[in-house]
Amino acid sequence: MTQKETRTMHHAIEGDRREIDGLDARIIELLGQRARVSARIQRNRVSAGGPRTVLAREAEVLGRYQDGLGATGTPIAMNVLKLCRGVSPTTEQALTR
């Protein structure tokens, strides 16, 4: 590989890395938004005398992630649900940045 080809490859990689960084920022923003909406649902459900979580609903979410991402979707969904189940003040602050 020539020096010019190497520079071109490194330039392309850096561009792709910037794109990944932007995607990660959007994912973090969306997770924060999801956690806030989930906390709102949980507060409303509990104030109406219901449970904080509904397992049938969580099963739907797990299925959607598995359908969309295959086997890796299940652990991703589990982590998203875990993040959104119990939004503590510390977590909420981190997610609103």
Side-chain angles (χ1 to χ4, degrees):
M1 187 175 282
T2 67
Q3 280 187 330
K4 183 178 179 181
E5 291 170 329
T6 301
R7 280 193 305 272
T8 301
M9 179 189 66
H10 286 298
H11 182 69
I13 289 171
E14 287 306 312
D16 288 342
R17 287 180 176 160
R18 282 190 298 277
E19 184 175 354
I20 284 174
D21 292 345
L23 291 168
D24 285 342
R26 288 172 48 200
I27 291 167
I28 291 166
E29 179 182 333
L30 288 170
L31 286 170
Q33 182 179 351
R34 188 191 193 287
R36 289 187 297 278
V37 171
S38 180
R40 194 168 55 234
I41 291 168
Q42 290 173 50
R43 280 191 302 272
N44 289 334
R45 194 180 300 121
V46 169
S47 71
R52 192 167 62 85
T53 58
V54 175
L55 296 180
R57 172 65 180 154
E58 289 193 356
E60 289 175 23
V61 172
L62 287 168
R64 195 167 45 247
Y65 274 72
Q66 188 172 21
D67 289 347
L69 300 172
T72 59
T74 300
I76 292 169
M78 290 299 296
N79 281 304
V80 168
L81 290 169
K82 182 178 178 182
L83 172 73
C84 295
R85 261 189 215 122
V87 179
S88 68
T90 305
T91 306
E92 196 164 356
Q93 284 178 341
L95 293 171
T96 58
R97 286 191 259 156

